[in-house]
Amino acid sequence: MVVEQQLERARLELLDMGLRSNPQLNYRSGSKALDIIDEQSAKIFEMLVEQENTLSFLPLPEAYQQKIADSEDEGSFFQTDDESELPPLDLYLEQKKGAARFTDKYLQTGLVPAKLDKALLKLETEAHTMLQEQGVEVLYLALGFLQWNEPTNSSVSRYAPLILIPVQLMRSSARDSFKLRYTVKK
């Protein structure tokens, strides 16, 4: 009976359905994630999984990088104000690249190059460490999110990924940029 109790306790610890530590129920943007913006999930799935292409990451366009450098508050550049000559980022990308931006082999991010490189290095290092230490693949690309609220009257929205694709970050040398590749599970 003692063994059964210990197994049940271990099962509950492994099956943590709490929102705090389970990103499959409650994704929160942060240091263990990189947000991809202005992309279409179906196109990414087609290129990454079906065609088995490797994808690269694009930093924030230079015009917006300059706006960040000129402003004191880095987070304020996504907000539009009447004095700004730059349109919202999604409209800017639509004007500059059109629909071709969805079929290129690049994933758009909202980070300046230095922060993008740092974020990708951190993600790759943590994923590699987890694989080496525990034998667990933890790097996934989430496509699409379900927005939900736990209590029906709560104003706090939670986001759960709809499709998780196992991926690998790789680069041939420290000077190269990271590329994303689908890790085929056979």
Side-chain angles (χ1 to χ4, degrees), residues 35-41 44 88-95 97-99 101-104 106-110:
D35 291 336
I36 305 299
I37 56 176
D38 194 47
E39 296 290 347
Q40 293 178 345
S41 296
I44 293 173
L89 184 58
D90 57 343
L91 293 177
Y92 177 85
L93 292 170
E94 183 178 350
Q95 291 169 357
K97 297 181 180 181
R101 71 189 187 280
F102 299 126
T103 56
D104 63 9
Y106 296 97
L107 298 172
Q108 181 67 56
T109 69

Side-chain angles (χ1 to χ4, degrees), residues 92-138:
Y92 177 85
L93 292 170
E94 183 178 350
Q95 291 169 357
K96 292 290 183 183
K97 297 181 180 181
R101 71 189 187 280
F102 299 126
T103 56
D104 63 9
K105 293 183 180 178
Y106 296 97
L107 298 172
Q108 181 67 56
T109 69
L111 298 175
V112 297
K115 286 192 176 191
L116 177 59
D117 290 341
K118 185 177 178 181
L120 290 169
L121 179 61
K122 184 176 181 180
L123 285 172
E124 192 276 333
T125 302
E126 288 181 9
H128 183 74
T129 300
M130 187 68 95
L131 180 61
Q132 293 295 320
E133 291 179 356
Q134 299 183 13
V136 178
E137 295 276 357
V138 295

Side-chain angles (χ1 to χ4, degrees), residues 33-175:
L34 176 66
D35 291 336
I36 305 299
I37 56 176
D38 194 47
E39 296 290 347
Q40 293 178 345
S41 296
K43 298 285 186 188
I44 293 173
F45 185 87
E46 179 183 330
M47 289 186 296
L48 195 62
V49 177
E50 294 174 358
Q51 298 172 1
E52 295 187 20
N53 291 324
T54 57
L55 303 179
S56 299
F57 298 90
L58 286 175
L60 194 62
E62 287 186 27
Y64 288 82
Q65 291 179 38
Q66 184 60 43
K67 188 171 180 181
I68 288 174
D70 294 343
S71 74
E72 293 179 8
D73 180 19
E74 187 173 315
S76 67
F77 78 96
F78 280 116
Q79 299 171 358
T80 58
D81 55 5
D82 295 335
E83 301 169 8
S84 174
E85 64 262 5
L86 290 174
L89 184 58
D90 57 343
L91 293 177
Y92 177 85
L93 292 170
E94 183 178 350
Q95 291 169 357
K96 292 290 183 183
K97 297 181 180 181
R101 71 189 187 280
F102 299 126
T103 56
D104 63 9
K105 293 183 180 178
Y106 296 97
L107 298 172
Q108 181 67 56
T109 69
L111 298 175
V112 297
K115 286 192 176 191
L116 177 59
D117 290 341
K118 185 177 178 181
L120 290 169
L121 179 61
K122 184 176 181 180
L123 285 172
E124 192 276 333
T125 302
E126 288 181 9
H128 183 74
T129 300
M130 187 68 95
L131 180 61
Q132 293 295 320
E133 291 179 356
Q134 299 183 13
V136 178
E137 295 276 357
V138 295
L139 199 55
Y140 291 89
L141 176 67
L143 297 180
F145 286 86
L146 172 70
Q147 181 179 349
W148 62 283
N149 299 57
E150 187 172 14
T152 54
N153 60 356
S154 173
S155 63
V156 177
S157 293
R158 303 185 190 283
Y159 299 89
L162 293 175
I163 297 173
L164 291 174
I165 300 172
V167 293
Q168 175 184 24
L169 283 171
M170 58 188 190
R171 62 181 177 174
S172 54
S173 74
R175 292 183 180 209

